[in-house]
C-alpha cells in the first residue's frame, strides 16, 4: 500500500512552525517511514501531484495568493490542519488589522524610520499579490479540521497530532501540549 | 449546626453556610467552579459569567448567587461546560489577545481557562477592535487590547486602596476601563504598591520592567490547570 501523503505550506507565517516540525529530531526518520511529502517547502515540490491525506497550514491569509494556495490545499487534502497562532488567529501579521491599509503602506514604503525611497513609489507590479483588507485566520477562509495553537506549536504537539491522525485515532492533546505561546 | 445549608452540586451533597455564595461553598468542598472576574477579597461582580451554573435548571452566576436549602446545582454537565466555553471563546475574539508576545502568557487566567477547557482556537470570528495602550505611568502600563472588563482593578482600587483610580465608562460594546484623570494613568494617584496593580487576570495592567522573568515551563499554568489547587484540597 502506498504511504499517505502530507503537504505543507507557509502562508503569512515566518517558517517557525516548519522549523518546529524539523525539531521532532530523530523522529523525522520514523515520519518518512510513515508518510511521503507532497507539495511542501521541505522537499521543494511546488505543485500537488495528487490527493493528500493531511495538509499542514502555517500562517494566516494576508494576500490573495495566500487565499488561492489555501483553497488549493483544501481541494487536495482530506484533513487540513491550522498549525500555529498565525494560522489559528492571524498572529503577529494580524496586528495590522486595526490599522487602515493605506497607513500600513505609508509606514512600510514612505514614512517608516528606516525607509529610503526617493521616488516615493509604493510597489504596484501586477506580479505582486494584492494585500487583503486584513489578515484572516485560515478557518475564516476555508474549513479547517484541526487547530494546533502555539508560536510555534512544540515538536511534541506536531508529532502527537500527526501520529494520532496517521493511525486513525482522535487528536487528543494532553494539557501540556496546548499552548498559545 | 443551625446555619448549615444542604444542597447538591452535580449529584454530590454539599454543606454550605448561611451567607455563602454557591462558588464559595463549592470551593470549601474542594469543587472548583471556573471564574475570571471573581477574586477572593473583592466584592463579587458577576460580570464575566464564566462561573455560570444551573440552579434548579436556571443559569446563575455562582459567584453572586447565595446558597439555599435544597437547591440542585449543575456545574460540570456538558450544557454548562458549553456555556463556559462559548464565553471564553467570545472573550478571546472580542479583544486583541496576542499570547505569543504577551508578558502575562503562562500566568494569564483567561489563557489558563482556555487551556483548562482544551480550546485549540475560538470558534467565533475575530473582531480585532481598535484599542489603546497607556504607558504614561512610570511603573505601570495599561494595555486595553487585553482587557476583558472583569472590573477587578475597579473594585480593588475602590475597596482595597480607597482611591478609585479605575472605573468603567460607556455602555454595551463601547464599555471600557478609564482612569480617574483627564486621559493618562500618570495623572492619577496610582502607586506601584496599590492592590489594583496586582489583580488583573490578563495582561491589561502590568508592572513595567519585570516581564518574562519566569522561564517557559516554570510559569503558573504551564504544567497544572487553573483551579487544580482547589481540586487538590478535596483529595487530601
Amino acid at each position: 500500500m502506498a504511504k499517505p501523503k502530507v503537504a505543507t505550506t507557509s502562508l503569512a507565517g515566518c517558517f517557525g512552525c516548519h522549523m518546529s516540525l524539523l525539531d521532532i529530531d530523530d523522529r523525522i526518520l520514523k515520519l518518512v517511514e510513515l508518510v511521503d511529502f507532497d507539495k511542501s517547502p521541505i522537499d521543494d515540490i511546488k505543485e500537488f501531484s495528487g490527493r493528500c491525506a493531511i495538509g499542514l497550514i502555517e500562517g494566516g491569509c494576508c494576500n490573495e495568493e495566500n487565499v488561492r494556495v489555501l483553497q488549493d490545499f483544501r481541494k487536495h487534502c482530506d484533513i487540513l490542519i491550522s498549525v500555529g497562532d498565525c494560522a489559528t488567529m492571524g498572529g503577529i501579521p494580524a496586528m495590522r488589522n486595526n490599522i487602515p491599509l493605506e497607513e500600513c503602506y505609508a509606514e512600510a514604503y514612505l514614512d517608516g524610520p528606516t525607509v529610503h525611497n526617493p521616488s516615493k513609489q509604493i510597489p504596484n507590479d501586477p506580479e505582486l499579490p494584492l494585500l487583503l483588507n486584513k489578515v484572516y485566520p485560515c478557518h475564516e477562509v476555508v474549513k479547517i479540521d484541526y487547530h494546533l495553537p502555539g508560536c510555534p506549536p512544540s515538536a511534541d504537539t506536531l508529532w502527537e497530532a500527526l501520529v494520532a491522525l496517521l493511525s486513525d485515532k482522535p487528536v487528543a492533546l494532553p494539557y501540556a501540549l496546548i499552548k498559545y505561546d | 449546626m443551625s446555619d448549615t445549608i444542604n444542597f447538591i452540586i452535580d449529584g454530590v451533597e454539599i454543606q454550605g453556610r448561611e451567607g455563602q455564595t454557591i462558588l464559595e461553598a463549592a470551593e470549601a468542598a474542594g469543587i472548583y467552579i471556573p471564574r475570571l472576574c471573581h477574586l477572593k477579597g473583592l466584592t463579587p461582580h458577576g460580570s464575566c459569567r464564566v462561573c455560570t451554573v444551573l440552579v434548579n435548571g436556571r443559569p446563575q452566576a455562582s459567584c453572586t448567587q447565595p446558597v439555599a436549602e435544597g437547591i440542585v446545582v449543575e456545574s460540570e454537565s456538558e450544557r454548562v461546560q458549553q456555556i463556559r466555553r462559548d464565553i471564553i471563546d467570545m472573550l478571546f475574539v472580542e479583544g486583541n489577545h496576542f499570547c505569543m508576545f504577551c508578558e502575562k502568557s503562562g500566568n494569564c487566567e483567561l489563557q489558563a481557562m482556555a487551556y483548562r477547557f482544551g480550546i485549540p482556537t475560538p470558534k467565533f470570528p475575530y473582531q480585532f477592535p481598535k484599542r489603546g495602550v497607556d504607558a504614561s505611568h512610570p511603573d505601570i502600563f495599561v494595555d486595553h487590547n487585553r482587557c476583558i472588563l472583569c472590573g477587578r482593578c475597579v473594585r480593588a482600587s475602590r475597596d482595597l486602596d480607597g482611591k478609585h483610580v479605575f472605573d468603567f465608562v460607556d455602555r454595551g460594546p463601547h464599555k471600557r476601563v478609564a482612569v480617574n484623570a483627564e486621559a493618562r494613568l500618570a495623572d492619577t494617584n496610582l502607586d506601584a504598591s496599590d492592590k489594583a496593580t496586582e489583580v488583573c487576570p490578563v495582561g491589561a495592567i502590568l508592572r513595567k520592567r519585570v516581564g518574562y522573568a519566569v522561564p517557559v515551563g516554570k510559569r503558573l499554568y504551564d504544567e497544572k490547570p487553573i483551579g487544580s489547587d482547589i481540586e487538590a484540597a478535596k483529595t487530601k
Side-chain angles (χ1 to χ4, degrees):
Chain A
M1 207 177 80
K3 286 189 270 185
K5 286 196 282 192
V6 172
T8 79
T9 189
S10 179
L11 306 175
C14 71
F15 270 93
C17 297
H18 275 80
M19 290 297 144
S20 198
L21 181 60
L22 298 180
D23 206 25
I24 59 175
D25 299 331
D26 58 341
R27 285 173 290 186
I28 204 156
L29 298 174
K30 256 187 237 165
L31 186 63
V32 290
E33 273 172 30
L34 287 172
V35 300
D36 279 328
F37 277 92
D38 202 79
K39 177 182 161 78
S40 167
I42 289 176
D43 52 18
D44 209 24
I45 296 178
K46 307 287 191 200
E47 297 297 336
F48 280 102
S49 68
R51 190 100 201 129
C52 291
I54 299 172
L56 301 176
I57 311 290
E58 167 185 343
C61 290
C62 79
N63 64 32
E64 51 171 355
E65 194 219 358
N66 294 155
V67 174
R68 272 200 300 270
V69 172
L70 183 57
Q71 286 170 338
D72 201 29
F73 265 74
R74 183 68 276 181
K75 216 182 291 170
H76 285 91
C77 302
D78 296 339
I79 295 169
L80 214 49
I81 309 179
S82 269
V83 177
D85 289 341
C86 294
T88 62
M89 60 80 66
I92 301 284
M95 289 185 76
R96 78 157 157 98
N97 281 6
N98 43 44
I99 301 166
L101 204 49
E102 215 166 311
E103 283 177 39
C104 294
Y105 273 119
E107 181 70 13
Y109 296 109
L110 303 174
D111 308 329
T114 58
V115 172
H116 175 72
N117 182 9
S119 68
K120 298 278 175 218
Q121 266 202 331
I122 290 177
N124 192 26
D125 193 281
E127 284 277 300
L128 296 172
L130 284 174
L131 286 191
L132 303 178
N133 63 334
K134 58 176 193 173
V135 179
Y136 294 84
C138 293
H139 64 271
E140 290 184 20
V141 178
V142 299
K143 182 187 187 318
I144 297 289
D145 302 296
Y146 294 95
H147 298 86
L148 300 177
C151 189
S154 71
D156 289 337
T157 306
L158 288 164
W159 177 253
E160 290 284 331
L162 278 176
V163 168
L165 287 172
L166 291 168
S167 43
D168 275 334
K169 287 186 188 125
V171 179
L173 295 173
Y175 179 83
L177 293 187
I178 295 183
K179 291 282 174 280
Y180 297 172
D181 59 4
Chain B
M1 260 169 37
S2 59
D3 69 345
T4 301
I5 291 174
N6 297 293
F7 69 106
I8 290 171
I9 299 181
D10 292 330
V12 181
E13 281 182 36
I14 306 282
Q15 275 79 46
R17 280 180 291 104
E18 183 77 44
Q20 265 184 330
T21 62
I22 294 173
L23 186 139
E24 285 167 342
E27 187 162 325
I31 297 171
Y32 173 72
I33 299 177
R35 78 293 298 264
L36 281 174
C37 72
H38 181 74
L39 186 67
K40 228 178 261 177
L42 295 178
T43 327
H45 200 232
S47 62
C48 77
R49 299 279 147 176
V50 170
C51 72
T52 295
V53 292
L54 296 185
V55 180
N56 294 343
R58 283 163 168 267
Q60 300 284 0
S62 63
C63 72
T64 53
Q65 186 70 18
V67 290
E69 186 67 34
I71 54 170
V72 177
V73 178
E74 224 177 278
S75 176
E76 291 293 306
S77 65
E78 186 46 41
R79 185 178 161 206
V80 177
Q81 297 291 72
Q82 191 59 52
I83 291 171
R84 293 176 185 157
R85 262 200 296 270
D86 287 351
I87 292 168
I88 297 162
D89 279 3
M90 284 190 270
L91 289 173
F92 268 97
V93 300
E94 278 171 9
N96 297 312
H97 297 280
F98 292 91
C99 296
M100 68 292 285
F101 61 78
C102 180
E103 289 139 278
K104 191 78 170 192
S105 190
N107 301 313
C108 170
E109 292 180 38
L110 174 64
Q111 186 192 57
M113 208 55 80
Y115 290 169
R116 183 183 167 99
F117 280 81
I119 298 172
T121 199
K123 60 174 165 288
F124 303 116
Y126 284 93
Q127 303 299 302
F128 295 113
K130 192 170 175 59
R131 304 224 195 122
V133 177
D134 182 347
S136 59
H137 194 278
D139 301 308
I140 305 292
F141 71 89
V142 182
D143 186 342
H144 293 280
N145 290 289
R146 302 164 181 167
C147 181
I148 57 168
L149 303 174
C150 69
R152 282 191 193 176
C153 57
V154 176
R155 285 173 281 158
S157 186
R158 182 191 61 207
D159 302 337
L160 304 180
D161 302 327
K163 283 188 176 179
H164 222 122
V165 170
F166 302 100
D167 211 338
F168 290 121
V169 292
D170 283 344
R171 297 272 168 196
H174 308 292
K175 186 173 176 179
R176 63 196 159 87
V177 167
V179 297
N180 191 7
E182 197 61 49
R184 305 184 324 143
L185 187 62
D187 300 328
T188 67
N189 57 351
L190 182 78
D191 189 83
S193 61
D194 286 356
K195 284 274 181 292
T197 65
E198 296 166 9
V199 292
C200 185
V202 291
I205 298 177
L206 284 177
R207 211 165 284 275
K208 290 182 176 178
R209 297 177 295 277
V210 293
Y212 316 112
V214 182
V216 173
K218 298 248 160 88
R219 301 167 306 180
L220 216 45
Y221 305 118
D222 279 336
E223 303 281 341
K224 283 192 195 143
I226 189 168
S228 49
D229 48 338
I230 291 169
E231 288 162 335
K234 182 191 187 178
T235 51
K236 262 177 211 166

